[in-house]
Amino acid sequence: MPLTPATDADLDTMREQLGRPMRGVVGIAARCACGNPTVVATEPRLPDGTPFPTFYYLTHPGATAAMSALEATQVMRELSELLSEDEDVATAYAAAHRAYLADRAHYGDVPEIEGISAGGMPTRVKCLHALAAHSLAAGAGVNPIGDLALARGDWSPSVCTCVSPRVAG
Ligand SMILES: [Zn+2]
């Protein structure tokens, strides 16, 4: 799905969500039901020159907490086993990896991270936050592991749990 521009209000919200200033933001890739950013898209090379492979980064505290909770359970192992045992899932996950790299490539060619996406793609499950961020950005049906992680987590993009929900208008 196309990025939406990051407004000053978005940058302020994400600074609150993450507790640090934002760097190299190119847009917002997914939003909460209230409009707050859920996934930020970041340049593959930060303004200070650092390569940054995680193009889609989960910012929403509710989503982040849900993925952290899942990572503390057996879900990582389950999803890893699914990936190694189900050819269709493995094929879709490899395609998700390529889609991720293609999305990022629009924002510059960074040789240091060429072929490196996020979350363990294309063959491992290492970070549910990164995989869920990709699923939220791309929409259902692109990243099978991210989709499953979101389905298993106790957070939904359609129900606002923000500490400071965005007020319309
Ligand atoms: Zn919200």
Side-chain angles (χ1 to χ4, degrees):
M1 284 182 274
L3 303 180
T4 53
T7 64
D8 287 344
D10 290 332
L11 294 172
D12 285 347
T13 298
M14 293 189 291
R15 188 191 182 109
E16 261 175 52
Q17 289 174 328
L18 298 174
R20 57 174 167 78
M22 303 305 296
R23 300 188 295 167
V25 172
V26 295
I28 307 301
R31 292 179 184 274
C32 177
C34 77
N36 277 340
T38 298
V39 177
V40 65
T42 303
E43 288 171 12
R45 190 182 296 285
L46 297 177
D48 70 358
T50 309
F52 194 76
T54 312
F55 183 61
Y56 295 123
Y57 194 97
L58 201 58
T59 65
H60 194 289
T64 302
M67 293 304 113
S68 297
L70 280 187
E71 286 185 353
T73 68
Q74 293 301 307
V75 168
M76 300 286 275
R77 184 185 298 175
E78 277 175 42
L79 294 176
S80 297
E81 283 173 5
L82 177 70
L83 185 61
S84 65
E85 287 162 9
D86 188 318
E87 249 179 67
D88 291 342
V89 170
T91 300
Y93 197 56
H97 168 71
R98 293 192 296 273
Y100 195 103
L101 295 177
D103 289 355
R104 195 180 67 199
H106 292 297
Y107 298 93
D109 202 15
V110 179
E112 297 98 312
I113 54 172
E114 194 181 334
I116 298 169
S117 60
M121 291 186 283
T123 56
R124 298 178 64 196
V125 179
K126 289 176 70 178
C127 176
L128 297 184
H129 304 79
L131 299 173
H134 186 209
S135 279
L136 289 166
V142 174
N143 191 313
I145 304 294
D147 288 356
L148 286 168
L150 283 173
R152 294 286 288 274
D154 64 354
W155 174 86
S156 162
S158 57
V159 180
C160 175
T161 58
C162 294
V163 176
S164 313
R166 185 153 300 180
V167 181

